[in-house]
Amino acid sequence: MPHAAILAVASYLPERRLTNADLERLVDTSDEWIVSRTGICERHVAAPDESTSDLAAKAGAAALARAGVAPAEVDLLIVATSSPDMLFPATACLAARKMGLSCPAFDLSAACTGFIYAIGQATSAIESGRSRTVLVIGADVLTRLIDFTDRGTCILFGDGAGALVMRASEKPGVLGVHLGADGSGADLLSLRAGGSARPCSVEALRDGDNFIKMNGSEVFKFAVRQIPIVTRQALQESGLTVDDVTWLVPHQANTRITATVAERLGIPAARVVERIADVGNTSTASIPLALDALYTGGNLHAGDVLALVGFGAGLTWGAAIVTWTGEE
Ligand code: UT7
């Protein structure tokens, strides 16, 4: 059976930045509150003519270039997103057109855990022999789905995209993936309008159901409870323990969540990747953005063991344990 290895990581951030000072002018908040409660200083916002497929295509093309893989070699494209360009066609198809890919392409919806679910799907496709080269992208433009009068959500989210090129390999890359979901927590974080349950309507707009609604403190409690559990499950299935982890790369939702999780796992802060201050919570893009920062900072080396861990709406959660085999 072939292994699934990561050849390259890359990311893309829109140019425009939204600082905490900008938000102070929109809602009753302060830079001090946002930094101390979340760790976020600024986030990036897509230009008016940019949509999720544009960000996805830019990150995907950058990852292919870094891997030295031609578009024609890609035989599967998965785009994890919660903010697709439209309900259909899939954002993956729109991004594929922009990158010049002609392969099966689909969107994966698992909210902020989407990137881990996508790694799981890509790994299965490669290990089964069905695909050889898979492009996995996480892209979100959540600022289009936020109520900028709701200080509980507008301070958190930013736009961005990140991508991995994965390929069949003789050397082990992805060692284990553990995923979970519990729909009983569906109401804690959702965007209700625009689907079949609540189509777009004047009433839906009047109720603000076209915006993200979140019970922040309950999601926080779920995250700090569930991430250590799923990380340990994925490590156990990989035959490893927390001591083997070179880098813990958690979904970047709140620096306090990351710190609590690291403490509960007994992983020192020096081995935890933090990439929230300049990008905010970018949902499906947050893990590859953090990984790309590690890579471009020269801190990712062949043989490093990565614990990539996500959580989000659904509720969903997941962890992927990976040995880095890509370029240094
Ligand atoms: O991506 C995956 C999904 N999302 C998450 O993982 C988010 C998880 N949750 C969080 O990150 C945090 O819950 C938040 C950052 C959203 C909120 O932080 P918190 O420490 O849980 O605050 P809270 O909601 O418990 O509110 C504490 C206080 C309240 O005031 P009172 O009632 O104590 O007077 C809020 O009204 O802070 C107030 N508050 C704010 N104050 C200034 C809430 N948001 C703000 C704000 N600026 N932006």
Side-chain angles (χ1 to χ4, degrees):
M1 184 177 80
H3 296 287
I6 297 175
L7 292 190
V9 59
S11 61
Y12 171 76
L13 287 166
E15 253 170 58
R16 195 183 138 216
R17 288 153 197 259
L18 184 70
T19 64
N20 291 348
D22 296 329
L23 288 166
E24 282 177 354
R25 288 188 279 275
L26 294 176
V27 286
D28 179 15
T29 192
S30 66
D31 175 56
E32 193 278 328
W33 192 96
I34 301 171
V35 172
S36 64
R37 304 304 292 169
T38 71
I40 301 168
C41 301
E42 60 178 14
R43 59 296 283 148
H44 291 246
V45 177
D49 61 349
E50 272 184 321
S51 60
T52 301
S53 67
D54 294 309
L55 274 59
K58 283 179 177 151
L64 290 175
R66 219 172 244 179
V69 168
E73 294 175 67
V74 179
D75 46 30
L76 179 63
L77 169 65
I78 308 174
V79 175
T81 186
S82 303
S83 47
D85 282 25
M86 52 190 101
L87 278 181
F88 65 86
T91 298
C93 296
L94 304 172
R97 182 169 66 181
K98 289 170 186 169
M99 288 184 283
L101 303 186
S102 51
C103 62
F106 68 94
D107 286 2
L108 191 155
S109 172
C112 300
T113 321
F115 201 74
I116 303 296
Y117 269 65
I119 290 174
Q121 293 301 302
T123 301
S124 300
I126 290 170
E127 288 180 348
S128 71
R130 196 170 283 276
S131 304
R132 180 166 180 267
T133 307
V134 184
L135 182 58
V136 173
I137 302 176
D140 269 303
V141 179
L142 289 187
T143 60
R144 298 266 156 80
L145 309 177
I146 282 168
D147 176 358
F148 275 94
T149 66
D150 173 12
R151 67 179 183 172
T153 52
C154 75
I155 52 122
L156 275 183
F157 297 102
D159 303 334
L164 297 180
V165 180
M166 296 178 62
R167 179 168 271 178
S169 160
E170 284 175 13
K171 286 192 213 156
V174 179
L175 306 175
V177 179
H178 194 99
L179 304 173
D182 177 6
S184 68
D187 292 338
L188 294 178
L189 178 51
S190 63
L191 195 160
R192 294 178 193 134
S196 60
R198 187 134 166 84
C200 280
S201 65
V202 172
E203 290 74 25
L205 292 178
R206 186 198 55 213
D207 297 342
D209 282 351
N210 54 317
F211 295 126
I212 292 171
K213 300 269 168 58
M214 179 173 75
N215 182 332
S217 56
E218 286 304 313
V219 175
F220 191 110
K221 283 185 233 164
F222 147 71
V224 296
R225 186 179 64 244
Q226 194 59 51
I227 303 183
I229 295 172
V230 73
T231 306
R232 285 207 170 90
Q233 284 167 326
L235 281 167
Q236 194 180 16
E237 284 161 26
S238 307
L240 300 176
T241 72
V242 286
D243 294 335
D244 298 307
V245 174
T246 319
W247 295 110
L248 175 71
V249 190
H251 166 50
Q252 311 283 307
N254 185 320
T255 197
R256 289 186 295 131
I257 293 178
T258 303
T260 308
V261 164
E263 193 186 318
R264 289 187 180 180
L265 280 168
I267 296 182
R271 290 201 277 129
V272 180
V273 182
E274 278 267 20
R275 176 85 202 270
I276 198 166
D278 67 323
V279 297
N281 179 342
T282 56
S283 191
T284 58
S286 86
I287 290 170
L289 273 165
L291 198 56
D292 193 25
L294 199 60
Y295 172 80
T296 51
N299 293 312
L300 201 47
H301 305 291
D304 283 357
V305 173
L306 308 170
L308 313 175
V309 197
F311 63 92
L315 297 168
T316 54
W317 57 91
I321 309 301
V322 179
T323 305
W324 181 253
T325 47
E327 293 290 307
E328 290 195 15

